[in-house]
């Protein structure tokens, strides 16, 4: 009888290994790479494979990445990020003026735009879309629950008043000057929704989104797929694709197989170790772009011995970021020097990283009075995040590095919600975490992560000079001034070393070779209105 | 030699080998199970291209020797099977015996409780137990054990009730033997057979289920070389390094197989008529 | 018989009540705040406080449960904390997918399991007996994730016979009547879509049925052997009745009770949604929905899911018990 398991074992091994050969054999169909300008072809259905389903299709209620991808294609904002960048350009507003005191923003709206339900886009729609979030007495303020992103961005502390000056002019008045405000308006929560549709669907608008965007929402099969079709009267011209379908395929390996087989055109979140296979496959292409994110190890400056900058610097010298990037990110990340990623303006490229140097780390520890090292808890998250695909693996690598300099780290994990809550309470010695940028403004990293009052400052790092710099940078509207302030801020942070900045994950997106015109964006947006199929 | 003894033989042979492997893991394992060796990461098993005789089953993505991890992992998997089985057997046995013994009202109340446990989605129950207590191998063990309780309780109750109606029990009670005495002296030896079978089958499913929880990230935490956790860690490497997921899978399969065979063999041995 | 059925139906009520209270408490005792989970890295204290107020999470537990129970009695499961959609609708979208998969899995598992069990019992000790029992033991011990991937690699990737993921190919639609695609496509008279749905079902059903088939085979074999040793069967055989008729007439009928029990229990388990199977085969069913709800602490979904699964489980077992009565009239007297 025990013959059977042996048979199964051998079969499994043989199958799997033969499968690998199959992979390498399939890579030998050469096809020339077309470079030059080609005329985009119209038509076709693009199927976009992703790991999870959307949660909420109302752009003001959505806060998860999977929901925002739909909003990217169904809705427009007043201003938007130029494709593939964080620079602002006109969208539903054709132009705008800012008053001298930096408080009043006047937007001139695009004319002749209609929503997918045929109703016209005008100042009322803009006021409706934003006032429902701002005004607690607005009839739609409670519809669909809290406006999560509006709350998270503290917009209620920024915006004073919304006014329609005429059908095509809107004025937004702020409570105090706020340099990143315009960039915030490019985010999904500020998208303009059809008031008529919002009234008609009420609570169910979250599953019947109606905007002005390049694609029209058609149907949503929960946990299976969301289908969109081209908006023939899009104000920027009809998109090339006829249809755009987002499918949920939760297992990474299966999603990759679907891409290889051609059943989907684009796949998200490949396993890092599958990337070499994808690169060798001539029917596929791999788009990649430095990400607007940072994964870091926060050192709790309230707890000894991490209240000593010498110890924090020692830890910085002890961790081998290059190896970490190889093991955890499959090489698809830049080792970090600063908390700010290099793709954001204001990045300080003159700062030299703490070199990987265990001997020096040991010397610094000895200098701090800890020649034999010390024990400490190393907290790690158990869920994959965009800035860190596998927190536990990172923790294992860091633990091994720290043991080389005498620091014995004990890995501690909690369920994700508890992890966030407990790290914000400062219950950790060292904790892994990260941040993904929203709008391309340095304030969105440095103020969020290091303001003394921000609860995302889980290093509990306090520096009076830094606080002052961050406040001044927020109020100033001159970019050159702000840039100088942020560079100085990065120098201070580097010297005090409240973190070990670990890596900036590179975003990679494997797709079929015939997908053309798609551009990766630092904001993580997935806009497919210029994408076509060859 | 009947089929039963063949199952028994095969099952116990594999079990003995596994127990030995677990006990002697530190001696047998060629490498420490947790030592990172990045230059040697993802080395295929010996005999394949780039394979290395020093790593018979290859290495994982930290360069750790798979064979050594599997050997050490046997300790955790056997422990999980044993303790989960113990929890299920003890909890279910006590509940079931009490229900079978203690009269109508207790029976109704206890069996209703068992019904609720059965009706409660088992995997949800296990996941929530782990969520309550935090993910760790010990809590996964507890969860798997608790989920097994109602099944054992039902079996025990049925067996006890059947035995209670037998002549020898009636006679003993008529002679004035107290309930505990009847239970211990009369019934326990008679239901030991079915319980032993149930035990080995529970052992088998506990190993597979605990591995399932580890696989969902709710059981053993890295770097512990528990087999389910290893399977989970090997998941993203399926196309890059098949061995990292294949060998832990085989180990779980083999363990489940061994205890199932043992259970089947025991059943046939204890019940030669082949009744059930 | 009718009063019996009525009494059994009524006894479901306290079970469901306890399940609902248990789920309510367990979900709230588990660490992790749904408001923090929704906001993630962006959870500012003010946003969390506002969201908790909005979701009613700050009210006393008793008030929360009372509100919930009153709603459920009116057939309203409330809104999902995460998606803000009515939980009843969310369930209605996923339950048929799980039901269809469970039905098909159970159907083949029962058919194949019974056949294999009977054949194995009749030729006890023969090669078929050995092989089928070895296969059964292997089936029970195989990690599902592993089995699922092997099936996908063999039948979808190499042979290219079956699709890798989903329930229906893009471009095909079936107007929803029952939510079971096999039924709906037939009702629509769309043969192509029917076959497509069937092709999508085969591999997940194969994976999901691997454990039940082994259990049914094992149980069938044991009870057939059991019955074969009974006096009346021996008599029938001694009288010279052909073995096939003996099996058909006496043995199977009596073995059916034991088999129905296994099938009922297993079917109940399958309905809670096979999380791993649904994940590997991208099946949009209850399992994925519920595990997501655990991770996100979506209390409303968890409570509804537990109630639905418990109800299904209890009802199926009620049916099983009733079918005993149909199979074996003697039991009618006893109860």
């Amino acid at each position: 009888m025990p013959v059977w398991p042996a048979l199964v074992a051998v079969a499994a091994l043989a199958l799997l290994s033969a499968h690998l050969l199959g992979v390498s054999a399939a890579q030998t169909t050469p096809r020339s790479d077309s470079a030059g300008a080609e005329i985009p072809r119209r038509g076709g259905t693009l199927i976009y494979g992703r790991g999870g389903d959307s949660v909420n299709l109302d752009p003001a209620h959505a806060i998860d990445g999977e929901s925002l991808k739909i909003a990217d294609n169904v809705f427009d904002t007043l201003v938007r990020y130029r494709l593939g960048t964080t620079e602002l350009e006109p969208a539903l507003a054709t132009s705008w003026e800012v008053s001298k005191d930096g408080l009043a923003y006047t937007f001139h709206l695009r004319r002749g735009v209609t929503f997918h339900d045929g109703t016209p886009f005008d100042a009322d729609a803009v006021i409706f879309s934003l006032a429902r979030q701002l005004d607690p007495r607005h009839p739609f303020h409670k519809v669909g629950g809290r406006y999560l992103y509006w709350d998270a961005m503290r917009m209620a502390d920024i915006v004073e008043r919304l006014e329609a000056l005429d059908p095509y002019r809107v004025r937004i008045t702020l409570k105090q000057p706020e340099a990143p405000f315009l960039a915030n308006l490019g985010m999904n929560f500020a998208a303009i929704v059809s008031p008529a549709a919002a009234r008609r669907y009420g609570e169910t608008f979250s599953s019947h989104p109606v905007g002005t965007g390049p694609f029209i929402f058609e149907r949503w099969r929960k946990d299976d797929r969301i289908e969109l079709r081209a908006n023939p009267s899009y104000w920027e011209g009809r998109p090339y694709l006829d249809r755009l379908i987002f499918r949920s395929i939760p297992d990474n390996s299966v999603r990759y197989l679907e891409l290889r087989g051609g059943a989907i055109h684009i796949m998200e979140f490949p396993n890092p170790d599958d990337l070499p296979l994808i690169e060798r496959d001539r029917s596929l292409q791999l788009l990649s772009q430095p990400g607007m994110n940072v994964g870091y190890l926060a050192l709790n400056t309230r707890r000894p011995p991490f209240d000593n900058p010498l110890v924090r610097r020692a830890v910085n010298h002890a961790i081998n970021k290059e190896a970490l990037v190889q093991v955890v990110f499959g090489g698809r990340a830049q080792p970090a020097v600063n908390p700010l990623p290099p793709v954001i303006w204001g990045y300080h490229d003159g700062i030299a990283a703490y070199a990987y140097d265990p001997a020096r780390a040991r010397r610094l520890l000895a200098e701090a009075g800890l020649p034999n090292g010390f024990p400490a808890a190393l907290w790690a998250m158990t869920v994959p995040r965009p800035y860190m695909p596998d927190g536990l693996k990172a923790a294992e690598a860091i633990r091994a590095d720290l043991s080389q300099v005498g620091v014995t780290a004990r890995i501690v994990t909690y369920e994700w919600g508890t992890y966030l809550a407990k790290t914000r309470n400062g219950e950790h010695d060292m904790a892994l975490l990260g941040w993904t940028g929203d709008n391309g403004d340095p304030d969105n990293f440095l103020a969020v992560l290091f303001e003394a009052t921000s609860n995302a400052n889980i290093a509990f790092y306090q520096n009076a000079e830094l606080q002052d710099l961050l406040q001044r940078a927020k109020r100033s509207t001159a970019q050159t001034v702000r840039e100088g302030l942020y560079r100085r801020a990065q120098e201070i942070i580097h010297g005090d070393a409240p973190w070990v900045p670990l890596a900036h994950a590179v975003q990679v997106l494997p797709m079929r070779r015939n997908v053309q015109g798609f551009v990766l964006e630092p904001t993580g947006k997935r806009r497919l209105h210029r994408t076509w199929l060859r | 030699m009947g089929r039963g003894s063949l199952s028994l033989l095969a099952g116990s042979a594999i079990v003995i080998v596994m127990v030995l492997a677990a006990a002697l893991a530190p001696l047998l394992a060629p490498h420490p199970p947790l030592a990172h060796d990045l230059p040697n990461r993802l080395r295929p098993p010996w005999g394949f291209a780039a394979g290395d005789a020093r790593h018979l089953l290859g290495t994982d993505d930290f360069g750790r020797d798979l064979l050594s991890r599997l050997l050490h992992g046997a300790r955790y998997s056997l422990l999980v099977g044993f303790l989960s089985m113990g929890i299920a057997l003890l909890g279910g046995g006590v509940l079931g015996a009490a229900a079978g013994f203690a009269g109508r009202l207790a029976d109704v109340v206890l069996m209703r409780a068992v019904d609720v446990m059965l009706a409660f989605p088992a995997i949800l129950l296990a996941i929530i137990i782990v969520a309550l207590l935090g993910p760790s191998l010990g809590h996964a063990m507890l969860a798997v054990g608790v989920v097994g309780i109602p099944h054992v309780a039902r079996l025990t109750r049925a067996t006890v009730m059947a035995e209670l109606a037998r002549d020898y029990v009636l006679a003993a009670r008529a002679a004035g033997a107290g309930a505990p005495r009847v239970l211990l002296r009369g019934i326990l030896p008679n239901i030991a057979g079915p319980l032993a079978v149930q035990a080995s089958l529970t052992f088998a499913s506990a190993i597979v289920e605990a591995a399932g929880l580890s696989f969902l990230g709710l059981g053993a935490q890295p770097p512990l070389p528990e087999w389910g956790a290893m399977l989970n860690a090997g998941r993203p490497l399926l196309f890059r390094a098949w061995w990292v997921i294949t060998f832990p899978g085989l180990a779980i399969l083999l363990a489940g197989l061994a205890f199932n065979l043992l259970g089947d063999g025991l059943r046939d041995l204890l019940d030669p008529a082949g009744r059930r | 018989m009718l009063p019996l059925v009525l009494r059994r139906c009524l006894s479901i009520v306290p079970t469901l009540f306890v399940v609902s209270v248990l789920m309510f408490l367990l979900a709230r005792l588990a660490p992790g705040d749904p408001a923090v989970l929704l906001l993630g890295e962006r959870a500012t204290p003010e946003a969390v406080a506002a969201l908790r107020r909005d979701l009613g999470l700050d009210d006393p537990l008793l008030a929360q449960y009372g509100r919930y129970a009153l709603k459920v009695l009116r057939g309203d499961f409330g809104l999902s904390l995460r998606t803000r959609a009515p939980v009843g609708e969310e369930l209605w979208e996923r339950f048929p997918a799980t039901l269809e998969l469970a039905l098909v899995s159970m159907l083949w598992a029962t058919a194949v399991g019974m056949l294999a069990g009977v054949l194995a019992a009749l030729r006890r000790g023969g090669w078929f007996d050995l092989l089928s029992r070895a296969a059964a033991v292997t089936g029970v011990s195989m990690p599902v994730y592993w089995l699922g991937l092997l099936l996908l690699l063999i039948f979808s990737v190499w042979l290219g016979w079956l699709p890798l993921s989903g329930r229906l190919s893009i471009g095909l639609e079936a107007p929803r009547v029952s939510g079971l695609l096999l039924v709906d496509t037939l009702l629509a008279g769309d043969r192509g879509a029917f076959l497509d749905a069937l092709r999508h079902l085969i591999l997940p059903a194969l994976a999901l049925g691997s454990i039940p088939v082994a259990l049914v085979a094992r149980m069938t074999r044991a009870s057939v052997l059991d019955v074969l040793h009974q006096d009346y069967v021996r008599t029938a055989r001694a009288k010279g009745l052909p073995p096939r008729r003996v099996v058909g007439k006496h043995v199977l009928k009596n073995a059916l009770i034991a088999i129905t029990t296994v099938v009922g229990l297993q079917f109940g388990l399958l309905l809670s949604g096979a999380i791993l199977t649904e994940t590997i085969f991208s099946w949009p069913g209850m399992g994925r929905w519920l595990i997501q709800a655990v991770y996100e602490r979506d209390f409303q979904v968890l409570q509804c899911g537990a109630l639905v699964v418990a109800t299904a489980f209890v009802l199926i077992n009620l049916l099983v018990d009733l079918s005993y009565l149909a199979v074996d009239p003697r039991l009618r007297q006893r109860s």
Side-chain angles (χ1 to χ4, degrees), chain A residues 1 4-5 8-9 11-12 14-16 18-20 22 45 47 51-56 63-64 142 144-146 148-149 151-154 203-204 206 219-225 227 245 247-251 253-254 257-258 260-261 263 385-387 415-418 420-421 424 433-438 444 448 455-456, chain C residues 31-33 36-48 50-55 79 82-86 89-90 93-94 129-131 133-139 142 145-146 149-150 152-154 157-158 163-174 200 278-285 288-289 294-295 297:
Chain A
M1 191 182 297
W4 183 258
V8 174
L15 291 180
L16 282 166
H19 171 74
L20 286 170
T45 301
I47 303 171
D53 197 10
S54 299
V55 173
N56 193 316
I63 194 162
D64 63 300
K142 286 195 158 42
R146 297 295 307 181
L148 302 177
Y149 236 120
D151 287 351
M153 298 297 288
R154 299 169 193 260
E203 289 279 352
T204 61
S206 57
R219 68 169 66 85
W220 184 3
R221 302 248 179 275
K222 296 268 172 84
D223 282 346
D224 186 20
R225 62 197 197 222
E227 300 188 23
I245 298 177
R247 282 195 55 195
S248 311
I249 305 174
D251 190 83
S253 299
V254 174
L257 290 174
E258 284 283 40
R260 243 192 45 178
R385 306 301 297 165
Y387 45 77
E415 164 282 325
W416 178 229
T418 313
L420 286 169
R424 275 152 169 68
L433 209 61
W435 182 256
T436 309
D438 294 305
N444 184 242
V448 169
N455 74 332
Chain C
D33 181 344
V36 175
L37 283 163
L38 270 169
L39 288 158
E41 284 91 345
R42 287 171 178 75
T44 64
E46 302 82 30
V48 170
L51 186 55
R52 283 189 62 88
R53 244 190 342 271
D54 184 61
L55 296 175
L79 299 178
R82 197 167 74 96
T83 67
R84 279 288 173 159
E89 273 174 33
E90 301 249 296
E93 292 215 39
R94 283 147 177 116
D129 187 19
L130 282 182
L131 195 70
R133 292 185 59 195
V137 175
T138 312
M142 194 117 156
Y145 182 75
W146 217 51
L149 274 175
L150 271 183
L152 281 181
L153 287 179
I154 299 170
V157 178
W158 292 331
L164 276 160
S165 65
R167 281 182 85 193
L168 201 60
S169 295
I170 301 287
L172 294 176
E173 277 302 324
H200 279 88
E278 288 185 358
T279 304
I280 299 162
F281 295 97
S282 314
W283 199 261
R288 271 166 70 196
W289 185 52
V294 174
Y295 288 145
R297 300 289 183 271

Side-chain angles (χ1 to χ4, degrees), chain B residues 97-178:
Chain B
F101 232 95
R104 182 108 180 91
L105 186 69
D107 184 27
V108 168
V109 170
L110 288 175
M111 279 303 113
R112 187 44 51 79
V114 166
D115 279 350
V116 169
M117 279 181 84
L118 272 176
F120 207 88
I123 182 79
L124 269 192
L125 185 60
I127 289 173
I128 289 172
I129 291 175
V130 174
L132 262 168
L133 303 172
S136 82
L137 191 58
H139 298 153
M141 250 182 302
L142 185 68
V144 171
V146 168
V147 166
I149 285 179
H151 297 272
V152 179
R154 274 200 162 179
L155 180 84
T156 314
R157 172 175 174 273
T159 326
V160 165
M161 284 192 133
E163 292 295 324
L164 272 178
R166 295 267 180 109
D167 295 341
Y168 73 94
V169 178
L170 294 176
R173 296 193 104 173

Side-chain angles (χ1 to χ4, degrees), chain B residues 179-240:
Chain B
R181 198 180 149 80
V182 172
L183 186 67
L184 279 178
R185 288 279 172 81
I187 295 184
L188 203 60
N190 281 295
I191 63 169
L195 278 185
V197 173
Q198 185 68 24
S200 58
L201 297 181
T202 310
F203 202 114
S205 60
I207 289 182
V208 177
E209 279 166 23
L213 278 182
S214 294
F215 184 79
L216 287 171
L218 299 167
Q221 296 297 308
L224 209 65
E226 196 264 342
W227 293 340
M230 287 173 70
L231 191 72
N232 187 19
R235 199 163 144 183
L237 295 163
L238 178 68
F239 302 114
R240 172 76 196 283

Side-chain angles (χ1 to χ4, degrees), chain B residues 3 112 119-120 123-124 127-128 131-132 215-216 235 245-246 250 253 256-257 260 264 267 273-276, chain C residues 15 23 26 29-31 124 129 133 137-138 141 145-146 218 221-222 226 229 275-276 291 294-295 310 313:
Chain B
R3 205 194 43 265
R112 187 44 51 79
F120 207 88
I123 182 79
L124 269 192
I127 289 173
I128 289 172
L132 262 168
F215 184 79
L216 287 171
R235 199 163 144 183
I245 186 168
T246 304
L250 275 179
L253 174 62
L257 211 57
N260 265 307
D264 278 3
R267 168 160 37 210
R275 273 173 41 212
R276 206 165 291 167
Chain C
T15 307
M23 193 62 195
L26 279 177
L29 283 174
R124 190 178 173 197
D129 187 19
R133 292 185 59 195
V137 175
T138 312
S141 317
Y145 182 75
W146 217 51
R218 188 186 252 169
R221 179 180 173 279
D226 197 14
H229 287 276
I275 293 164
L276 288 179
I291 182 106
V294 174
Y295 288 145
F313 186 87

Side-chain angles (χ1 to χ4, degrees), chain A residues 145-373:
Chain A
R146 297 295 307 181
Y147 294 96
L148 302 177
Y149 236 120
W150 182 276
D151 287 351
M153 298 297 288
R154 299 169 193 260
M155 287 299 283
D157 299 339
I158 298 173
V159 178
E160 168 75 29
R161 191 165 66 244
L162 307 161
E163 296 156 280
L165 302 177
D166 63 47
Y168 291 100
R169 259 182 344 134
V170 168
R171 185 162 67 203
I172 303 178
T173 312
L174 307 189
K175 291 182 168 155
Q176 71 267 325
E178 173 82 13
F181 170 69
L182 205 55
N184 288 354
L185 286 189
M187 292 170 60
N188 292 96
F189 75 85
I192 309 304
V193 304
S194 157
R199 290 196 181 98
R200 185 162 76 247
Y201 291 115
E203 289 279 352
T204 61
F205 184 70
S206 57
S207 52
H208 297 89
V210 178
T212 58
F215 290 93
I216 302 176
F217 170 80
E218 209 162 57
R219 68 169 66 85
W220 184 3
R221 302 248 179 275
K222 296 268 172 84
D223 282 346
D224 186 20
R225 62 197 197 222
I226 292 178
E227 300 188 23
L228 312 178
R229 68 181 154 85
N231 176 4
S233 48
Y234 187 49
W235 55 267
E236 213 186 0
R238 178 196 187 281
Y240 299 121
L241 296 169
D242 286 341
R243 303 175 67 75
L244 174 58
I245 298 177
F246 289 85
R247 282 195 55 195
S248 311
I249 305 174
D251 190 83
N252 294 356
S253 299
V254 174
R255 204 158 58 246
Y256 165 55
L257 290 174
E258 284 283 40
L259 180 75
R260 243 192 45 178
I264 60 177
H265 295 94
I266 301 180
M267 79 166 278
E268 286 214 321
F269 285 111
N271 291 321
D273 283 288
D274 290 342
L275 292 175
L277 292 174
I278 291 168
E279 279 185 318
R280 286 208 304 269
D281 191 330
R282 295 304 305 263
S283 63
L284 305 180
Q285 53 180 330
L286 188 63
L287 263 53
S288 77
Q289 193 195 45
M292 191 165 69
N293 60 62
V294 62
Y296 58 85
L297 178 72
L299 309 174
N300 191 342
T301 58
R302 272 193 200 155
R303 289 192 170 210
F306 297 107
D307 53 349
N308 186 341
L310 288 173
V311 173
R312 301 199 296 262
R313 277 177 220 140
V315 172
N316 265 282
H317 280 299
I319 292 172
N320 185 348
K321 293 178 197 172
E322 295 283 348
L324 184 100
V325 162
Q326 283 307 319
V327 173
V328 181
F329 297 84
R332 305 283 166 162
Q334 303 161 278
V337 179
N338 292 315
L340 211 55
V343 290
I344 288 192
W345 62 266
Y347 177 80
H348 198 319
D349 48 14
I351 292 176
Y354 290 102
Y356 171 56
D357 188 347
R360 189 152 170 202
R362 277 190 295 269
R363 277 202 305 280
L364 282 168
L365 284 178
E367 206 179 312
L370 294 161
N372 300 319

